[in-house]
Amino acid sequence: MNEKADIKATRTVTIRSRQGLHARPASLIARLSRSFDAKVYLVRDHDRVDATDVIHVLALGVMPDQVLRLEAIGAQAEEAADAVARLITEELPKIED
Amino acid sequence: MKFADFIARESISASLRAIDKEGAIREMVQALLDAGRIDAAQYESIVKAILKREELGSTGIGRGVAVPHTKHASVDQLVGTVAISSDGVDFASLDGEMVHVFFLLVSPMDRPGDHLRALENISRQLRNDTFCRFLKKAKNPAEIQQLLDEADNNQFGS
């Protein structure tokens, strides 16, 4: 993190995976979120969890068609938010197992 | 969903002997077989399916925990087991840590919701450091069962 650490980006995404955010999607989100100079969070209602922590993502128990807010904070906040949003909306629906 | 809804009590182990991923999976599926929860003729098929799922990406979810799983047509309801390894098993987890706690799940083909709810329950409890620490230290199946029962009764505040 650097002097741009207070940059914040948010996105709203709808879960289109037919089986919700199960283990593999949660792992892919965690892996991608770790690759940016930004903290990435998934927010549902009053729960806000670290997207790099698979256990916390699974604990949200996100079902198909539920809406999540993505928050990214840090120098690469915009890049992280775009990439994770794209993963969730475009790539995860192709994954069944 | 509570642990009591899907963990086969008779299959719980506090002394996993295997030292690698395939061995650990085989030992846990054997425990489900010994407990009468899966069909002996399906043993190899279930093991292979779980290993195939691991090839897509490790189910080591961090904090020394893994949730190996598969869907399988031979079961008509979600069934799972818990095993503890004191030495730990290299499961290629995302955080690089050895795995000491296993929750293995076998679900019916057509019940993805149950599988997701089981993962949610397991993960919610694992967020509690006390539950996680005590589970890793459990000395026998009865201690593990007691921890699961306490978690089901919300005694860890998750």
Side-chain angles (χ1 to χ4, degrees):
Chain A
M1 301 274 172
N2 55 26
E3 71 280 1
K4 293 181 177 175
D6 57 348
I7 293 176
K8 182 173 175 180
T10 61
R11 303 286 185 274
T12 300
V13 293
T14 302
I15 303 303
R16 296 296 183 206
S17 311
R18 284 190 297 166
Q19 301 186 15
L21 289 190
H22 55 95
R24 192 156 166 241
S27 297
L28 292 170
I29 290 170
R31 194 178 293 275
L32 182 62
S33 298
R34 284 176 182 213
S35 67
F36 294 96
D37 182 12
K39 284 283 204 182
V40 183
Y41 299 93
L42 298 184
V43 186
R44 197 190 65 189
D45 301 329
H46 300 295
D47 284 328
R48 180 175 186 265
V49 305
D50 178 352
T52 66
D53 189 325
V54 179
I55 288 174
H56 278 91
V57 175
L58 287 176
L60 285 176
V62 182
M63 302 292 278
D65 300 325
Q66 288 187 331
V67 177
L68 291 180
R69 194 167 79 248
L70 278 175
E71 290 180 7
I73 302 168
Q76 290 188 297
E78 290 291 343
E79 294 93 326
D82 278 341
V84 177
R86 191 163 53 244
L87 173 69
I88 291 175
T89 56
E90 295 177 23
E91 299 303 318
L92 296 188
K94 300 173 189 169
I95 294 172
E96 290 302 320
D97 287 314
Chain B
M1 182 178 284
K2 293 177 179 292
F3 286 121
D5 296 328
F6 61 96
I7 298 294
R9 304 178 71 112
E10 315 77 24
S11 68
I12 295 172
S13 169
S15 53
L16 195 77
R17 293 181 301 277
I19 55 170
D20 61 15
K21 180 179 275 198
E22 179 167 350
I25 288 167
R26 285 190 176 279
E27 204 172 322
M28 288 184 280
V29 176
Q30 183 66 47
L32 285 174
L33 172 59
D34 293 343
R37 302 303 288 266
I38 60 165
D39 183 352
Q42 302 297 330
Y43 170 83
E44 201 60 37
S45 170
I46 291 172
V47 167
K48 292 265 165 57
I50 294 171
L51 287 169
K52 192 173 173 192
R53 165 61 185 83
E54 289 295 326
E55 286 175 11
L56 298 173
S58 173
T59 59
I61 56 175
R63 299 186 194 190
V65 180
V67 288
H69 58 266
T70 190
K71 288 180 234 163
H72 202 271
S74 67
V75 296
D76 54 15
Q77 62 177 16
L78 175 63
V79 61
T81 188
V82 182
I84 310 297
S85 164
S86 53
D87 291 339
V89 177
D90 181 357
F91 228 69
S93 295
L94 193 61
D95 64 0
E97 287 190 29
M98 297 283 272
V99 170
H100 294 274
V101 178
F102 295 89
F103 289 90
L104 180 138
L105 304 171
V106 183
S107 354
M109 304 301 284
D110 56 348
R111 304 266 283 277
D114 285 357
H115 175 71
L116 192 67
R117 289 291 173 233
L119 284 177
E120 177 187 358
N121 177 58
I122 292 165
S123 303
R124 279 182 181 274
Q125 300 300 341
L126 289 171
R127 291 185 308 186
N128 185 290
D129 290 339
T130 305
F131 175 75
C132 212
R133 194 170 65 248
F134 281 10
L135 204 51
K136 287 174 186 170
K137 287 183 179 170
K139 296 281 187 290
N140 53 57
E143 283 187 17
I144 296 171
Q145 184 62 54
Q146 187 180 349
L147 286 165
L148 300 182
D149 289 344
E150 289 172 4
D152 279 349
N153 291 321
N154 298 315
Q155 292 181 32
F156 294 100
S158 289

